[in-house]
Amino acid sequence: MKQKKILIVDDEQDLCDILLFNLHAADYQADYALSAEEALTKDLSSYHLFLLDVMMTGMSGFDLAKALKAQPSVAQTPIIFLTAKDTEADLLRGFEIGADDYIAKPFSVKEVMARVKAVLNRLAPHESTGQDILTYEGLVINHTNKTVMVDGESATLTKTEFELLYLFLQNRGKVFTRQQVIDRVWPKEVIVTDRTVDVNITRMRKKIGRYSMYLIARQGYGYIFEE
């Protein structure tokens, strides 16, 4: 199996060295950049995961994440923020940008490795269900090549948004509670709140145009894709 390649972006050299050592020991390929600006000079499409510090000199990790999401070749590459900013507002901002996980400093290396493994496990191919391509009118989601088309136009979704849309489109007419959504979409190792589910669904709805009206919140129950 091909090794997963990870880019660490943090302006603390010692922390980069520690993470690099442990990632290599866990049989990952890894590289680092000491600034967001340096990271943008690399072959970003070669990486399977970005570990981004938020508070860096120059461009912040949040701004770097936005720049990555704007590039089609890496828009769906998962991002984990490593940061001392751990308020609810900062956490929500990270998820709104498209983060897959958020680890507050100080953290243990063991925790980081567990989160990295959990996020990368979501990259593994899903077992075939005979429903690799789902359609609803002009909304087409292809689980094999991870693409979404909205009335003939390509839509760029994060991995979490993609899995949410696939879940609801595959189960049209079924209500999912937030906890059921968490159990189906997020890895068990990742702690996810109801608010995180709402933020990701809101962000996903904005990207599917007129079809967002079919993805309805049922107060007191959860969400449903209702025709």
Side-chain angles (χ1 to χ4, degrees):
M1 182 180 295
K2 184 178 179 181
Q3 285 181 307
K4 300 297 184 184
K5 189 175 180 181
I6 300 166
L7 178 62
I8 307 159
V9 186
D10 197 301
D11 56 6
E12 296 182 48
Q13 179 75 60
D14 290 346
L15 180 58
C16 288
D17 289 339
I18 291 170
L19 291 174
L20 197 68
F21 175 83
N22 283 274
L23 288 168
H24 286 162
D27 203 30
Y28 296 112
Q29 293 185 47
D31 189 10
Y32 70 85
L34 294 174
S35 69
E37 291 82 0
E38 180 186 350
L40 290 171
T41 67
K42 294 181 177 293
D43 179 12
L44 297 173
S45 63
S46 68
Y47 296 100
H48 299 89
L49 173 67
F50 299 117
L51 295 178
L52 308 183
D53 184 28
V54 171
M55 299 176 69
M56 295 185 286
T57 302
M59 181 185 288
S60 72
F62 284 153
D63 288 337
L64 174 56
K66 290 178 182 177
L68 295 173
K69 293 300 180 184
Q71 298 187 32
S73 63
V74 293
Q76 292 196 45
T77 302
I79 292 172
I80 297 177
F81 283 122
L82 307 174
T83 179
K85 296 168 70 69
D86 61 351
T87 66
E88 182 181 10
D90 291 319
L91 186 148
L92 291 177
R93 184 182 176 192
F95 283 120
E96 285 169 356
I97 291 170
D100 291 78
D101 205 349
Y102 197 105
I103 307 175
K105 296 179 180 180
F107 48 71
S108 70
V109 172
K110 185 175 181 180
E111 177 187 11
V112 174
M113 300 305 294
R115 300 289 189 92
V116 165
K117 182 179 180 181
V119 170
L120 287 175
N121 280 345
R122 293 166 57 190
L123 297 174
H126 288 235
E127 294 181 6
S128 176
T129 62
Q131 289 185 294
D132 289 333
I133 299 178
L134 300 176
T135 63
Y136 180 74
E137 297 180 3
L139 180 61
V140 181
I141 179 168
N142 187 319
H143 209 294
T144 300
N145 61 21
K146 312 303 183 192
T147 59
V148 176
M149 301 295 292
V150 180
D151 293 332
E153 298 290 331
S154 178
T156 301
L157 275 64
T158 66
K159 293 185 181 299
T160 300
E161 293 164 2
F162 182 93
E163 296 299 339
L164 286 167
L165 180 58
Y166 188 85
L167 173 66
F168 287 112
L169 199 57
Q170 188 182 37
N171 297 275
R172 294 196 293 271
K174 178 179 178 179
V175 175
F176 285 91
T177 66
R178 288 171 177 79
Q179 186 58 53
Q180 288 173 326
V181 171
I182 292 169
D183 292 342
R184 295 284 290 272
V185 173
W186 276 270
K188 290 181 173 58
E189 298 91 340
V190 177
I191 298 174
V192 180
T193 66
D194 287 354
R195 176 61 176 156
T196 301
V197 175
D198 294 339
V199 167
N200 278 273
I201 289 178
T202 297
R203 196 174 60 218
M204 180 264 285
R205 291 177 80 249
K206 292 179 180 178
K207 298 180 180 181
I208 59 173
R210 64 187 180 92
Y211 300 100
S212 63
M213 66 181 178
Y214 298 109
L215 187 49
I216 301 167
R218 288 280 178 81
Q219 189 171 3
Y221 294 96
Y223 290 93
I224 181 174
F225 192 98
E226 189 170 60
E227 304 177 47

